[in-house]
Amino acid sequence: MSVIVDAMGKQCPIPVVKATQALRAMTEPGTLEVLVDNEIAVQNLTRMGASQGYAVQAEQREENLFSVKVPVSYTHLTL
């Protein structure tokens, strides 16, 4: 299962709230990808994921386009 959340143009805490909602809605393993346009959102998403035990990966694709990927395993779904 792959889920993409477009949080472009949204300031925190909106990207984190949308990511949290998407993670809760995931019913099978996969990857949650959150697209944002600012580094503060990347930092907050990375911090949120790490605090919940996710191995978060972030990359800058363009000047104002960042991708934050959160791999979700069966372990995370049962927490």
Side-chain angles (χ1 to χ4, degrees):
M1 167 181 246
S2 181
V3 176
I4 297 175
V5 172
D6 183 354
M8 297 290 291
K10 307 295 184 198
Q11 298 299 313
C12 280
I14 301 304
V16 173
V17 170
K18 287 184 167 212
T20 301
Q21 291 171 340
L23 285 169
R24 287 184 186 145
M26 291 182 75
T27 58
E28 59 186 63
T31 301
L32 169 65
E33 181 176 12
V34 185
L35 303 175
V36 295
D37 60 3
N38 64 84
E39 291 187 41
I40 299 299
V42 173
Q43 293 170 8
N44 289 337
L45 287 163
T46 301
R47 200 172 307 123
M48 178 274 301
S51 74
Q52 295 181 22
Y54 293 102
V56 180
Q57 302 169 350
E59 69 174 319
Q60 184 172 1
R61 293 188 181 169
E62 296 175 13
E63 185 176 344
N64 290 317
L65 175 60
F66 299 86
S67 169
V68 180
K69 293 184 180 180
V70 182
V72 179
S73 67
Y74 277 113
T75 304
H76 291 110
L77 295 173
T78 59
L79 294 177

